[in-house]
Amino acid sequence: MSTTTDGQQRHAIGVAMKRKEDPRFIRGRGRYLDDIKLPNMLYLALVHSPYPHARIKSIDKSKAMALSGVKAVITGEDLDAAKLEWLPTFHGYDKQMVLAFGKALYQYQEVAGVVATSREIAADGAELVEVEYEPLDPISDPYQAREDKIVLRDDREQKTNHIYHWEVGDKAKTESALASSPVRIKERILSPRCHPAPLEPCGVVADMNKATGRLTIYMTSQAPHVHRTAFSLVTGIPEDKIHVISPDIGGGFGNKVPVYPGYVVATVASVIIGVPVKWVESRTENLTTTGFARDYHMDVEIGATKEGKVTALKVSTVADHGAFDAAADPRKYPAGMFGIVTGSYDFPAAFAEVDAYFTNKAPGGIAYRCSFRVTEASFAIERGMEILARKLNMDAAQFREKNFVKKEQFPYPSPLGFTYDSGDYAATLRKALDRIGYDALRKDQVEKRKRGELMGIGISTFTEIVGAGPGKQFDILGIKMFDSAEIRIHPTGSGIVRAGTRHQGQGHETTWAQIVGEELGLDPQELLVEEGDTDTAPYGLGTYASRSTPVAGGALALAARRIREKAKKIAAHLLEASEDDVEWKDYKFGVKGVPGKSVTMKEVAFAAYTNPPPETEPGLEATYYYDPPNLTFPNGAYIAVVEVDKDTGAVKVLRFMAVDDCGIVINPMIVEGQIHGGLTEGFAMAFMQEIKYDDGGNNLNTDFTEYLIPTALEAPRWETDSTVTPSPHHPIGAKGVGESPNVGSPQAFVNAVMDALAPLGITHIDMPLTREKVWRAIRDAK
Amino acid sequence: MSLNWSGQERIAADKSTVWNFINDPAKIAACLPDVQSTSLIDAHSFNATVGVAVGPVRGKFTFKIVLEPRADGNHMDMKISGGGLGSVVDMVAGADLSADGATTILDWKGTASLRGPIATIGGRAVDTQSQRVIATTFENVKKRLSGSG
């Protein structure tokens, strides 16, 4: 038994159980994609375009084909002949080339594939494919794309680079409220293009067995079922003939949600040749061609009264989607959950709009450890509120407190259409302020400023929106975003638990066992969790957007409760009592009013197979497909304390306090680990990472010497704490946490640096806050 | 990414000797540093395979080099295009020739456009390497024309 974060005594939830999956990971016994080696396996290497925008005049395969060991060279023309050249994008509003066909639209775009007997021969063969290009002027800037002087996509009917306009909220009311507000701010805030850069890059082993007609696809997939359906829809192969297995995954962060050309070309090669074909991308391929994140240019306007009460928020965004609209957003939300941009604040009026454009950059726009654009939205509002607090000359914490959605306002209907489930923002902020010693830090800052030292305190009080989601609002390729669980309890009381999700390091093998263990009074150590195999797991939409616990977690609890319903019948039979008199109490079945007479779930499980009641189906298993009634809204208060070296621009993070409210915590150790990891990623975004393109369309951050990953040496020490407001609609009150630290932290760092630079009159610097950028800002301010 | 260079070289040979030298692809090819192999295409062009080592980009690049002499004998353009290992280099160089007694003056400038991993390495590293290549090439030209090379 443990006491959970809400003060309840519980059997399995709230226990800091060690992760069941870790022994195999830390002993090198995991089975990742590249560990899969099949007999007669061939290897695929891809040829990439060095040009960001070029017409393909010819492709000469002859030299590559002449190389001993090369079995096939595949081009866009070959795929077009097989009607496999174009893939549907997530929401189905655009299509994406598998291999550049006619034109290359971004640097490093896949142009051809070489299949050979070894990885090395395939790479040598790729060097021998001769592609003749006619270079065209590239567009690397969405504002330039907006002018339509060069139209990039000649395959589309609409001759424009504009992809879509999306808006939400009351524009007239918002603009009128802004116009009449005595205090206003307007700032262009960039959430720069970055990349999830999972340590394991993407890969596939496609294995077409011509004897059985069955195609087995091992792939680094965060959503194996959706990928199976997508492969079936695109290839016409019946879905029962496709078996997707997602083995252990070394980090996903959204990067392993889309279908990439390498997956398709390897699969086509295997289908044609009839042997397994493996493709594992390089680090550079991962950084230059697979799903990037962000690239939102946001014009943020906020109005307020002189007393510091916000009146209206307007955010107009230009989104750079690259060469195809392959953004991983649900069909009805082309700009994802950007409507969460009002954040934790009670705005009487709000309006948000997004215009997306094609550029000669890699396509994507995936939710990098965030629920569909919530990171961009959160960054915009938290930077905007900080700038406004300074303009009002108000303390950043007091200004936020004054404008929070109050705890009694929940469920809170936001002006941009969401209903926030629960929260106590003031209590969460207060806890963070107390833990870090905010008042003392402010006094310290005054003293330091007198001495000319640049110390800053940055706050982020963010609200996330996760758990996509209600099927009535969210779908991918038309498939509703429910999730599923299947539980089978064995005769001896252990069991197997399967879910439609696929973890990539989140600890589902432990957390799911704890949820089921809690509901059934069983030992989580005796519940085996299995995910990622479409032949055995129930159909689910996968793991991303912090949706696993909010959606699959609900399915697990409800499947377990179905088992408990049946178990109650068996228990009544064993207890020789009427079912109405049997109650589930203290994790076992008892008879009301008869203390001491009880049976455990283990005893019931044995009876389910050996002594079921007459007329009762033997066995003890259940499946549940859970379509949540609403999203969940994890939130938190983060505070960063930094000092800036005014001579070098170097920023040192002195303290970082994170207080998270993710509802009921299932495993506090796993939650803390998630928060540490996410904060480190947020730190990297704030200070180190950007995928930049020069004017000529060259990608300048193509490996880990140019795209930096913080190690333990760079990462600050994290301090964490929590508050708990259970989600009222979730079966166990959990909200999800995986993305909160990534969503909530970048703005805390940036706000802290801007607070440090406030005496110099510097209002905003776009991320990443590299030493050079900070140094230049200080120099220019002098 | 674009890089630009320019300079002036004084060669101790008369203008017609220099002009004839730089019109000969075989002689020019012999002056390029780090060349692993060359093959003449015609009287004014040749292919060269060059060893490249700039940061992490290490291996062979293949270039096509085309000489475009102006009929008046005072100006030579040279187009170099090619690459390798996923990188592309397009370079245009031009030189004006003038006589200063027995010496020939070459006023030259060049522009290179880089794409792919070579562009990622950054202008400074590539610029330094390119300047070394240019300097070595001119040294070799001078040596050969002065008979010492």
Side-chain angles (χ1 to χ4, degrees):
Chain A
M1 295 293 266
S2 78
T3 305
T4 49
T5 41
D6 60 343
Q8 300 284 315
Q9 285 284 309
R10 287 193 166 98
H11 163 73
I13 280 185
V15 180
M17 218 178 106
K18 281 190 181 170
R19 300 198 331 162
K20 294 170 71 178
E21 46 269 74
D22 281 348
R24 75 172 186 274
F25 293 149
I26 60 180
R27 291 173 192 171
R29 299 300 297 271
R31 190 179 188 231
Y32 295 91
L33 190 280
D34 209 11
D35 294 324
I36 294 163
K37 293 179 177 68
L38 302 178
N40 305 317
M41 190 165 76
L42 299 176
Y43 296 82
L44 168 71
L46 296 170
V47 178
H48 298 273
S49 169
Y51 293 96
H53 192 200
R55 215 163 282 291
I56 296 173
K57 293 171 77 176
S58 65
I59 301 178
D60 183 353
K61 305 175 179 181
S62 59
K63 285 183 187 158
M65 284 302 292
L67 183 68
S68 173
V70 169
K71 299 291 181 190
V73 178
I74 297 166
T75 65
E77 211 167 291
D78 300 328
L79 293 179
D80 192 54
K83 295 193 167 47
L84 289 170
E85 172 54 10
W86 294 91
L87 282 175
T89 56
F90 266 84
H91 37 56
Y93 295 138
D94 194 11
K95 54 184 183 171
Q96 183 175 356
M97 286 175 191
V98 175
L99 293 171
F101 182 54
K103 264 196 347 178
L105 286 163
Y106 58 96
Q107 195 181 45
Y108 294 99
Q109 186 178 356
E110 301 85 350
V111 178
V114 176
V115 181
T117 48
S118 77
R119 195 172 278 179
E120 294 75 16
I121 294 172
D124 286 346
E127 277 288 306
L128 293 173
V129 175
E130 292 181 343
V131 186
E132 194 184 349
Y133 298 96
E134 178 194 336
L136 302 168
D137 287 337
I139 299 178
S140 334
D141 178 85
Y143 292 95
Q144 189 194 340
R146 194 161 68 169
E147 294 168 9
D148 274 339
K149 285 182 185 159
I150 303 167
V151 175
L152 302 181
R153 292 282 301 276
D154 24 307
D155 59 285
R156 284 167 62 98
E157 267 179 40
Q158 306 94 316
K159 298 301 172 206
T160 172
N161 297 318
H162 186 243
I163 306 171
Y164 66 77
H165 171 84
W166 172 84
E167 62 177 55
V168 63
D170 189 332
K171 188 176 185 181
K173 184 181 171 192
T174 302
E175 287 180 345
S176 154
L178 279 171
S180 58
S181 295
V183 185
R184 271 177 285 168
I185 61 112
K186 183 173 183 180
E187 189 73 40
R188 176 163 297 172
I189 290 167
L190 170 68
S191 184
R193 179 175 281 237
C194 59
H195 198 282
L199 283 186
E200 179 207 28
C202 301
V204 68
V205 178
D207 181 14
M208 181 71 198
N209 183 328
K210 289 200 171 180
T212 63
R214 204 141 195 261
L215 173 64
T216 303
I217 306 172
Y218 303 85
M219 63 190 283
T220 48
S221 170
Q222 293 179 232
H225 285 97
V226 179
H227 286 153
R228 184 185 71 190
T229 303
F231 270 98
S232 177
L233 290 172
V234 171
T235 61
I237 298 172
E239 206 165 346
D240 70 295
K241 298 283 189 206
I242 303 176
H243 180 193
V244 175
I245 300 170
S246 179
D248 284 330
I249 297 181
F253 312 112
N255 186 241
K256 289 167 182 166
V257 176
V259 172
Y260 296 121
Y263 299 159
V264 178
V265 179
T267 303
V268 169
S270 178
V271 168
I272 292 169
I273 304 170
V275 295
V277 177
K278 179 188 266 191
W279 168 72
V280 176
E281 66 182 0
S282 68
R283 176 59 53 197
T284 295
E285 287 177 309
N286 182 254
L287 283 171
T288 57
T289 65
T290 63
F292 74 93
R294 331 289 187 231
D295 223 341
Y296 261 35
H297 304 245
M298 303 171 286
D299 289 332
V300 180
E301 290 176 76
I302 311 178
T305 64
K306 282 180 185 159
E307 295 73 35
K309 194 86 182 145
V310 293
T311 52
L313 168 73
K314 183 183 175 196
V315 184
S316 300
T317 295
V318 165
D320 185 339
H321 278 214
F324 303 100
D325 184 17
D329 290 315
R331 183 179 287 259
K332 287 181 189 157
Y333 292 88
M337 315 283 206
F338 195 69
I340 195 70
V341 71
T342 53
S344 306
Y345 313 105
D346 188 16
F347 279 95
F351 175 73
E353 60 186 342
V354 178
D355 286 277
Y357 295 91
F358 292 121
T359 60
N360 290 115
K361 297 185 186 174
I366 51 127
Y368 165 22
R369 203 168 182 163
C370 88
S371 183
F372 311 122
R373 306 296 181 185
V374 67
T375 310
E376 293 89 325
S378 191
F379 189 69
I381 183 64
E382 288 302 314
R383 283 293 299 127
M385 290 296 277
E386 190 73 18
I387 292 166
L388 183 54
R390 198 198 289 183
K391 186 158 188 177
L392 285 158
N393 205 21
M394 283 180 75
D395 174 81
Q398 286 170 7
F399 174 59
R400 283 175 166 81
E401 268 177 324
K402 187 167 191 151
N403 288 291
F404 276 152
V405 173
K406 306 281 182 293
K407 120 175 133 169
E408 53 278 10
Q409 286 176 277
F410 291 95
Y412 169 75
S414 85
L416 298 183
F418 294 119
T419 302
Y420 293 16
D421 59 351
S422 65
D424 186 348
Y425 300 151
T428 304
L429 175 60
R430 181 47 52 199
K431 193 168 205 174
L433 296 171
D434 290 346
R435 282 284 316 266
I436 205 158
Y438 183 73
D439 294 341
L441 283 169
R442 283 288 178 206
K443 281 181 194 152
D444 192 24
Q445 185 182 37
V446 170
E447 292 305 312
K448 284 187 168 165
R449 281 184 176 169
K450 281 182 197 163
R451 298 198 295 267
E453 293 172 32
L454 301 176
M455 172 206 174
I457 304 161
I459 299 175
S460 162
T461 45
F462 64 96
T463 289
E464 250 220 292
I465 175 169
V466 307
K472 59 183 183 288
Q473 288 169 299
F474 298 97
D475 70 78
I476 283 180
L477 291 172
I479 303 162
K480 307 287 186 192
M481 293 185 75
F482 56 81
D483 227 291
S484 60
E486 182 203 80
I487 304 167
R488 295 183 189 177
I489 303 302
H490 307 319
T492 52
S494 63
I496 183 161
V497 176
R498 293 185 173 115
T501 42
R502 183 36 171 145
H503 68 88
Q504 313 118 41
Q506 290 92 337
H508 290 179
E509 291 177 34
T510 311
T511 309
W512 289 177
Q514 287 181 264
I515 292 175
V516 175
E518 174 70 27
E519 293 291 336
L520 298 181
L522 293 172
D523 181 355
Q525 297 292 356
E526 295 181 0
L527 294 166
L528 174 73
V529 174
E530 208 183 77
E531 293 181 328
D533 185 325
T534 58
D535 271 9
T536 54
Y539 199 102
L541 276 280
T543 294
Y544 43 87
S546 272
R547 64 185 302 280
S548 295
T549 297
V551 191
L556 285 154
L558 294 172
R561 286 173 201 174
R562 272 192 178 154
I563 284 183
R564 218 161 65 197
E565 276 170 40
K566 182 174 180 184
K568 192 177 175 188
K569 284 190 176 62
I570 301 168
H573 171 64
L574 296 177
L575 293 163
E576 295 175 331
S578 153
E579 200 184 325
D580 292 341
D581 292 333
V582 172
E583 62 178 354
W584 176 253
K585 199 179 168 193
D586 298 332
Y587 301 95
K588 54 193 174 194
F589 291 106
V591 181
K592 288 175 199 164
V594 188
K597 194 172 183 188
S598 65
V599 288
T600 64
M601 189 62 79
K602 275 203 167 190
E603 289 165 323
V604 168
F606 197 68
Y609 295 88
T610 59
N611 177 25
E615 313 297 324
T616 301
E617 198 182 339
L620 197 58
E621 59 185 70
T623 304
Y624 201 102
Y625 280 69
Y626 179 62
D627 183 1
N630 189 11
L631 296 136
T632 60
F633 296 77
N635 55 85
Y638 292 175
I639 304 175
V641 185
V642 304
E643 67 182 14
V644 179
D645 185 323
K646 60 187 170 192
D647 296 319
T648 64
V651 178
K652 187 174 177 189
V653 178
L654 304 174
R655 301 266 311 268
F656 195 97
M657 184 74 225
V659 179
D660 276 279
D661 176 1
C662 59
I664 295 295
V665 172
I666 300 157
N667 184 321
M669 185 190 71
I670 288 178
V671 167
E672 192 184 7
Q674 288 278 322
I675 290 168
H676 281 208
L679 292 176
T680 306
E681 287 180 330
F683 169 79
M685 281 187 275
F687 295 110
M688 302 163 119
Q689 297 178 338
E690 183 178 11
I691 298 285
K692 281 180 294 192
Y693 286 77
D694 68 12
D695 292 345
N698 283 301
N699 184 327
L700 301 179
N701 303 83
T702 60
D703 58 47
F704 282 166
T705 60
E706 305 289 341
Y707 192 80
L708 305 180
I709 303 289
T711 66
L713 285 177
E714 292 84 19
R717 181 175 169 271
W718 309 115
E719 299 169 66
T720 58
D721 208 328
S722 64
T723 52
V724 180
T725 57
S727 172
H729 63 76
H730 188 268
I732 59 169
K735 294 182 179 178
V737 76
E739 298 165 347
S740 292
N742 188 310
V743 168
S745 66
Q747 55 269 23
F749 294 113
V750 177
N751 286 346
V753 175
M754 294 309 129
D755 186 49
L757 300 178
L760 304 173
I762 297 166
T763 308
H764 181 72
I765 307 172
D766 280 325
M767 292 190 292
L769 301 182
T770 59
R771 289 176 186 203
E772 182 188 342
K773 273 199 206 169
V774 175
W775 174 80
R776 281 184 194 284
I778 294 169
R779 183 197 61 178
D780 294 345
K782 278 179 184 166
Chain B
M1 178 203 280
S2 290
L3 293 170
N4 297 292
W5 308 279
S6 59
Q8 190 184 69
E9 296 293 331
R10 297 177 69 86
I11 300 171
D14 64 57
K15 194 176 144 196
S16 68
T17 307
V18 174
W19 181 251
N20 288 336
F21 186 93
I22 64 174
N23 266 279
D24 186 339
K27 288 181 177 163
I28 290 286
C31 293
L32 297 172
D34 307 323
V35 168
Q36 295 175 349
S37 66
T38 56
S39 62
L40 292 179
I41 301 168
D42 56 37
H44 282 111
S45 58
F46 64 101
N47 287 323
T49 303
V50 179
V52 172
V54 189
V57 178
R58 281 164 197 271
K60 282 187 240 174
F61 274 29
T62 307
F63 292 104
K64 183 182 180 188
I65 298 162
V66 180
L67 304 175
E68 293 180 350
R70 205 180 280 167
D72 61 11
N74 293 324
H75 184 87
M76 171 68 80
D77 279 324
M78 186 156 58
K79 287 189 179 149
I80 302 171
S81 54
L85 309 168
S87 294
V88 171
V89 178
D90 286 296
M91 192 148 80
V92 180
D96 288 312
L97 281 75
S98 56
D100 181 11
T103 301
T104 304
I105 299 171
L106 247 67
D107 283 301
W108 62 271
K109 56 185 173 187
T111 302
S113 137
L114 311 176
R115 292 190 175 86
I118 193 97
T120 309
I121 293 165
R124 202 159 38 185
V126 177
D127 194 35
T128 310
Q129 290 276 8
S130 306
Q131 290 192 34
R132 186 186 67 79
V133 170
I134 293 164
T136 312
T137 305
F138 279 119
E139 265 172 42
N140 291 341
V141 170
K142 285 175 188 173
K143 274 186 204 164
R144 284 173 184 261
L145 280 169
S146 65
S148 61

